[in-house]
Amino acid sequence: MTSSSGTPSPSGTMAFPTLRTPSGDLPAAAPAWNPQRPSAMPHHRYRPAHERVALPLTDRTWPSRRLERAPLWVPVDLRDGNQALAEPMDTGRKRRLFDLLVTMGFKEIEVGYPSASRTDFDFVRHLAASDAVPDDVTVSVFTPARKDLIDRTVDSVEGLPRTLIHLYTATAPVWRDVVLGRSRAEVRTLIRDAATHLMRRVEERPGGHVRFEFSPEVFNLTEPDFVLEICDGLTELWEASPDRPVIHNLPATVEIATPNVYADQIEYMHRHLARRDSVILSVHPHNDRGTGVACAELAVLAGAQRVEGCLFGNGERTGNVDLVTLALNLYAQGVDPMIDFSDIDAVRDVVEHCNRLPVHPRHPYGGELVHTAFSGTHQDAIAKGMARHAKQAAESGLSAGEAPWEVPYLPIDPGDIGRTYEEVIRINSQSGKGGIAHLLRTHHGLDLPQAMRPDFSRTVQHVTDSTGRELSHKELWDLFRATYIAPAQDGPLTLESWTTSETGPGEHEFTCELRADGRTRSCRGTGNGPLSALTDALRPAGVTVDVLGYAEHSTTTGPGSPAVAYAECRVDGVTRWGSGWDTSVLAASVHAVMAAVNRTGAQTR
C-alpha cells in the first residue's frame, strides 16, 4: 500500500489515501456499457434547483430564437472584478483599464463601489475631475440599500455628465434569513425606502443625467413573484419611461442550475415585468458551475437586453461571465459584437497588468495557445484549409482578410483579432507532416513534395522525442538544411567542379571533378537531360543512381529568387531524399541528387 504522504505502493503505482474508489451495487437503471458505481461522497446534502426555487415557466419560447445582435455590454471589471482581487487596483491601474474599455467601445462602464473604500471614491472623483469620460459613455456606481452609503455614493458622482446609480439588496430566502434577518415584507420595505432616498438625493442635486439600476441579489434563488413585486414597484417609484428607462439587473449570483433554468427565469421576467418598454432587462451571470457564458447567451435569447461581466471572466469564486468570449462567440456567428477586439493581445496585456492575474493560455479566443495546433491531424487540416482559403480569395478577387472564412479547427481568422499565423501551427512530438510542411512553406518558401513529407516528419519526430521540446520554424529550417541540403557538400562524394551542356537535340553531357576518399577523379557522362547525364558520369566511379522522383520551384517571386530542388534517389537498393538550394535551378537540382546519393552512404570504387 502507501503511507499517508502518498508514497508508491508495492505495485509501483501511486496511491491516494484520502480517496475512496466508488463501489457498491450498480444502479438498477444503469446500461450494461456503463460500469460506474456509487461514490461515498455525501451528495444527499444538496438539493436540486427545482426544490429550492419555483420555476413557473412551462411554455418557453427562447429555444427557437437566434442571437442576431449584440446586447448592451457592461464591463464590471473596475467594481465587481476589482473586489475579487487579492491586490485591488489603485487609481493608476483603474484608469488604465478604464481607458482601455472606452477605446474598445464600451458605452456603459461600472467604475466602482464608492462607499466601500477611499480608493474607489477617489477614482470616481478622478473621473469627474478629468476629461476621461466621453460624452456618450455612462459611468455606473454601485451601492447597497443603506442611506448613509447611498449618500456617499451620490456625493462621489457630482460633476459626471451621465451616471447610473446601481442599488442592490439580497432577496433570496437564505440571504434574507441568514444575512439580513428580515422577512419578505421587511426586505421589500428596506428596498423601497432606500430607493426613495436615492431618488430624493438625486433630485436635490440637479445637473447631470442620472438613471437608476436595481439588482435583486441572488435573483436566481429568489421567488419569482417576490422579484416581480419589488421590480415593478421600483419601475413605478422611479417614474421610468421609454426615454429614461430603469434597469432591472437579474444576477445568477451563485450558479445553482443548468443554463436552461436561468433562461426560463429570465423569460418569465421578460414576459411579466410591468411597463416593459420602460425597463432594460439586464443579467449578471457568475460562473460557479462553469456555465456562465451559456447562461448569458440563453438569457439574451430569453429577452435580456444587457449583460454585465468582466474581460476574461475575472470575479469572485469562479468569476463573472466573460465578455470576451461572449462577444467573440457572436462574431464567430457573423454578428457584429459592437466592441473592438482587433488587438486581443493588447487587451490581454492591459487586463493582466491591472488585475495582476494571468489569462490562461487555453482561454477562449484570448489565450496564448488557443489558435495553436500541435496535433498532426489538426495541423494537416489547418494547413489545407488555409491553402484553400488563399486560393479561393485570389479567385474571387478578394484579399485573404476579406474573403469568407472556413478553415478547419479555427472558428475565426486569428488575423481578425491581431494574432499572427506564426502561432497557428507549432511543432512538437505530437505534430505531423502537414504542419511541418506548412511552416516550411509559410516561413521559408519550401513546398515539400508529398512523398518527401513523411521522410522529414520522421526526422523531426526523432528530434522532438529526444529533446521533449517544441521546434521553431527556424529550427525546422536548420534541421531540413542539415538533413537534406548540407550532404551535397559535406558527404563522402563531392563535386569540386562541374559543367553541363546540350550536345544535340535531347542529348546532354555532364563533366565533373569528383572527390572521394581524399582523391579527385575526372568523370563524364551523357543522357537525355542534365540529371541523367550526371548519374551516367557517376557510374564509372562505381555509383549507380536511379532518380525516382524530382521536383523544383522558386522560393520567392522576382529575379534572383532562390530555387529549391528535391530529388529521391536509389543507390544499391537504398533510397533517400536530397535537396538543393541555389539561385540556379540547374545547380539546385545537381546538389539535390548529390545530397541524396551521399545520404544513401554510397561509396566509390
Side-chain angles (χ1 to χ4, degrees), residues 489-514:
Q489 305 297 330
D490 300 337
L493 307 179
T494 57
L495 299 177
E496 293 194 338
S497 63
W498 58 272
T499 61
T500 183
S501 61
E502 186 174 12
T503 57
E507 295 180 1
H508 291 258
E509 180 179 83
F510 191 96
T511 60
C512 65
E513 294 294 315
L514 179 67

Side-chain angles (χ1 to χ4, degrees), residues 94-424:
K94 275 200 164 198
R95 176 61 189 269
R96 185 173 180 186
L97 186 50
F98 178 82
D99 288 345
L100 171 72
L101 297 171
V102 169
T103 300
M104 293 173 70
F106 290 104
K107 298 303 179 184
E108 197 170 291
I109 302 170
E110 192 171 80
V111 300
Y113 192 156
S115 64
S117 72
R118 182 74 193 182
T119 302
D120 270 30
F121 184 91
D122 288 348
F123 180 67
V124 179
R125 296 308 307 145
H126 164 77
L127 293 179
S130 68
D131 294 326
V133 185
D135 293 339
D136 62 348
V137 171
T138 297
V139 166
S140 172
V141 289
F142 192 72
T143 182
R146 271 180 46 186
K147 291 183 179 180
D148 58 327
L149 302 183
I150 289 171
D151 290 342
R152 178 99 170 135
T153 302
V154 172
D155 289 343
S156 75
V157 301
E158 184 175 1
L160 284 167
R162 299 172 63 90
T163 308
L164 178 67
I165 299 181
H166 182 178
L167 181 73
Y168 86 96
T169 296
T171 55
V174 173
W175 276 255
R176 294 196 306 258
D177 296 341
V178 176
V179 181
L180 301 176
R182 302 194 185 204
S183 66
R184 274 180 52 151
E186 289 171 329
V187 169
R188 182 176 60 249
T189 300
L190 179 154
I191 293 170
R192 188 169 184 87
D193 288 349
T196 301
H197 181 74
L198 171 61
M199 182 176 64
R200 288 174 178 165
R201 281 302 318 275
V202 168
E203 289 172 348
E204 291 169 0
R205 304 177 73 118
H209 181 73
V210 180
R211 291 188 298 117
F212 302 126
E213 173 180 357
F214 174 68
S215 287
E217 191 74 5
V218 209
F219 153 78
N220 56 324
L221 274 171
T222 304
E223 305 92 331
D225 66 308
F226 187 42
V227 177
L228 273 175
E229 181 183 357
I230 292 172
C231 290
D232 287 348
L234 295 183
T235 301
E236 180 180 7
L237 174 70
W238 284 337
E239 300 176 347
S241 62
D243 61 341
R244 191 173 176 271
V246 66
I247 297 168
H248 289 312
N249 183 55
L250 308 179
T253 308
V254 180
E255 277 196 307
I256 52 95
T258 51
N260 60 294
V261 172
Y262 188 53
D264 284 352
Q265 293 174 313
I266 297 302
E267 184 169 341
Y268 180 83
M269 298 298 294
H270 168 57
R271 291 193 199 177
H272 292 90
L273 281 167
R275 296 163 66 172
R276 185 65 184 85
D277 63 347
S278 300
V279 172
I280 298 170
L281 181 55
S282 175
V283 292
H284 183 119
H286 278 255
N287 199 42
D288 300 86
R289 301 178 80 251
T291 56
V293 166
C295 279
E297 291 181 329
L298 299 191
V300 173
L301 289 176
Q305 302 152 289
R306 178 181 182 273
V307 177
E308 295 185 352
C310 289
L311 297 181
F312 302 108
N314 175 49
E316 291 190 10
R317 305 183 309 279
T318 56
N320 292 290
V321 71
D322 172 23
L323 297 185
V324 175
T325 300
L326 284 172
L328 290 176
N329 279 354
L330 283 181
Y331 184 74
Q333 296 295 312
V335 177
D336 186 350
M338 310 297 282
I339 300 294
D340 183 13
F341 290 98
S342 60
D343 191 346
I344 195 74
D345 288 346
V347 173
R348 187 186 69 209
D349 289 347
V350 172
V351 171
E352 288 182 328
H353 168 80
C354 294
N355 288 343
R356 295 180 178 169
L357 291 173
V359 172
H360 195 282
R362 294 292 181 188
H363 194 287
Y365 301 107
E368 197 172 311
L369 295 177
V370 294
H371 303 291
T372 300
F374 291 105
S375 162
T377 54
H378 290 192
Q379 290 176 344
D380 183 61
I382 291 171
K384 289 175 179 175
M386 293 185 71
R388 189 185 73 162
H389 174 73
K391 180 183 177 193
Q392 290 180 335
E395 290 173 348
S396 62
L398 297 172
S399 69
E402 296 174 320
W405 181 259
E406 285 188 0
V407 174
Y409 297 111
L410 295 177
I412 64 171
D413 183 347
D416 287 353
I417 55 174
R419 305 298 290 271
T420 68
Y421 296 111
E422 184 171 338
E423 60 209 3
V424 170

